[in-house]
Amino acid sequence: SALAEADTPDEAEVSVPEGADLVEAPFGGSVWKLLVANGDEVKTGDTIAVLESMKMECPVLSPGTGRIVALYVTEKQSLQPGAPIFALEKAA
């Protein structure tokens, strides 16, 4: 249905700020907890979010040190594998 299609944004619709790295969901599930806000400074290995799938929790870690420049998810949101979670602008 057209309504269902409107609910799932295409990858092309995600706007990643220039120079930032996109971090995507490693598997399908839901966002159990979001631990950062847009603009937060993070270090390599910091937990950004906790995903839940089949009653198991899995942390999503920052791949580098820098600043969160875009968040694409909210708590309790369902995710498909490869869905965008956040964009990281790495420190120079």
Side-chain angles (χ1 to χ4, degrees):
S1 76
L3 181 61
E5 289 170 23
D7 285 346
T8 51
D10 288 338
E11 235 175 275
E13 291 178 26
V14 172
S15 169
V16 179
E18 193 172 328
D21 293 339
L22 180 64
V23 175
E24 299 173 335
F27 52 81
S30 63
V31 180
W32 182 67
K33 193 173 278 190
L34 198 54
L35 303 173
V36 297
N38 215 357
D40 282 1
E41 300 285 330
V42 296
K43 293 185 174 66
T44 303
D46 282 358
T47 301
I48 304 302
V50 180
L51 303 184
E52 192 233 7
S53 179
M54 296 171 54
K55 304 293 179 211
M56 292 179 58
E57 295 167 14
C58 178
V60 175
L61 306 179
S62 176
T65 297
R67 186 168 58 91
I68 303 292
V69 291
L71 279 173
Y72 303 106
V73 297
T74 58
E75 288 188 0
K76 311 294 182 237
Q77 177 179 335
S78 293
L79 295 176
Q80 297 296 319
I85 297 178
F86 68 97
L88 176 72
E89 184 180 78
K90 289 188 178 171

